[in-house]
Amino acid sequence: MSEPVRVQLDRGINFSAPQDELLPGELRIARNCMYLPENRVLAKVGGRSLYGSMGAAVTGLDAVRFRSGSQYLVGAAGNAYYTGPLSSAGTFTARATGLTTVGRARTVYFNGTDRCYTADGVNQLRVWTGSGNMRVAGLTRPTAGTVS
């Protein structure tokens, strides 16, 4: 087996020079990589540029982590709120549908209740426990009792 060829790319990106006039170690274009502060070594950028679809323009996207260690992206698009586990699958599941067109949404995690809350300024505040569907936050309307 042959040894891999190592090329030192430690001179940064040079947009001004034509491709055939670059000095050794210079780059013309660099995708999915970056130079770290005070470091001349080219490093891969973490993360993803594409992660599933919510079927409409995204109006909010936040990451939450529950006590169990489970991590999710909670997003808003169209007339629904969605969640997706932070994994390589990149799939979203609708957790609250039939909403009025969602405004700019934000989701916050509250450690005291181990729940996340999503608000968009248009629809009622929703709460999610990390499984199942989101529900309206707050007290529910009492039902009429029976007298015997």
Side-chain angles (χ1 to χ4, degrees):
M1 185 186 294
S2 62
E3 286 290 317
V5 176
R6 297 194 185 271
V7 178
Q8 193 163 348
L9 301 171
D10 61 348
R11 297 200 50 160
I13 298 173
N14 185 344
F15 296 111
S16 61
Q19 185 73 31
D20 58 343
E21 293 180 15
L22 291 176
L23 298 173
E26 287 183 335
L27 294 167
R28 177 90 173 138
I29 297 173
R31 291 191 176 107
N32 300 321
C33 56
M34 66 181 178
Y35 287 103
L36 299 172
E38 300 181 26
N39 191 338
R40 294 178 5 166
V41 176
L42 196 62
K44 182 178 178 184
V45 173
R48 299 173 61 136
S49 60
L50 181 64
Y51 186 93
S53 171
M54 292 186 217
V58 176
T59 56
L61 188 64
D62 292 290
V64 296
R65 181 179 182 178
F66 292 94
R67 282 188 213 143
S68 65
S70 300
Q71 298 180 49
Y72 295 91
L73 286 176
V74 180
N79 63 350
Y81 293 140
Y82 298 85
T83 66
L86 280 175
S87 66
S88 59
T91 57
F92 285 98
T93 303
R95 298 295 182 178
T97 58
L99 306 172
T100 302
T101 302
V102 176
R104 174 171 261 151
R106 291 301 314 252
T107 299
V108 296
Y109 172 76
F110 182 59
N111 192 35
T113 60
D114 197 32
R115 295 184 172 120
C116 69
Y117 298 85
T118 302
D120 66 5
V122 176
N123 296 285
Q124 290 179 294
L125 177 69
R126 300 282 172 152
V127 62
W128 189 55
T129 61
S131 64
N133 288 330
M134 290 182 172
R135 66 174 175 80
V136 175
L139 300 173
T140 57
R141 183 179 305 140
T143 56
T146 57
V147 178
S148 44

